Amino acid sequence: MLNDDELKNGIIICDSSEPKTIAELRTYGIPVMGVSKGKGSIQSGIAIMQEFELVVIGKNLIQEFSNYCYQKDKSDESLGIPIDDYNHGIDGARYFFMTRLSKSSNNYNNLRWVS
């Protein structure tokens, strides 16, 4: 796990589905780490994000959060399954939360909570 000094100096957290791209970025000296994606990773990442009060800036990211939605059944009830389209900015934020702020990370208990 990376320490906070590495994060402050600009570590890039990205999707791990392109290991060749990650390896290439590292050859240029760019500090990058991949996030493992597995079944349920979107839901678990969103659940971590929902534990925090977020301040969102930037027109595109605000639009993504405003339009974020879940699949619905025939009765128009939410199935709790995110529609994973057009949310690239949210994905980046989710990767950060999954790697740095999950309960399994060393940083989780050191946070100041906003109430």
Side-chain angles (χ1 to χ4, degrees), residues 5-112:
D5 289 335
E6 290 171 319
L7 185 62
K8 289 175 190 172
N9 290 325
I11 184 73
I12 297 170
I13 303 170
C14 60
D15 186 334
S16 62
S17 65
E18 292 290 334
K20 289 181 183 179
T21 303
I22 292 171
E24 182 178 354
L25 291 170
R26 287 180 179 152
T27 65
Y28 295 111
I30 298 172
V32 60
M33 68 178 286
V35 173
S36 297
K37 293 182 2 176
K39 186 173 175 74
S41 68
I42 294 172
Q43 288 94 329
S44 62
I46 294 298
I48 295 166
M49 291 176 68
Q50 289 175 332
E51 294 181 32
F52 298 89
E53 181 176 325
L54 304 177
V55 176
V56 180
I57 58 173
K59 184 174 84 171
N60 292 337
L61 192 54
I62 290 170
Q63 185 175 13
E64 282 187 26
F65 274 99
S66 297
N67 294 326
Y68 201 83
C69 58
Y70 293 84
Q71 294 178 17
K72 295 183 177 185
D73 65 13
K74 293 178 182 179
S75 304
D76 206 34
E77 296 291 323
S78 176
L79 296 173
I81 302 168
I83 297 175
D84 193 33
D85 295 330
Y86 311 110
N87 57 358
H88 303 297
I90 291 174
D91 286 344
R94 184 170 50 83
Y95 298 158
F96 170 79
F97 278 83
M98 290 170 67
T99 59
R100 303 304 292 182
L101 300 177
S102 69
K103 289 183 180 178
S104 63
S105 78
N106 294 331
N107 299 316
Y108 185 82
N109 292 321
N110 297 327
L111 297 174
R112 290 187 335 212

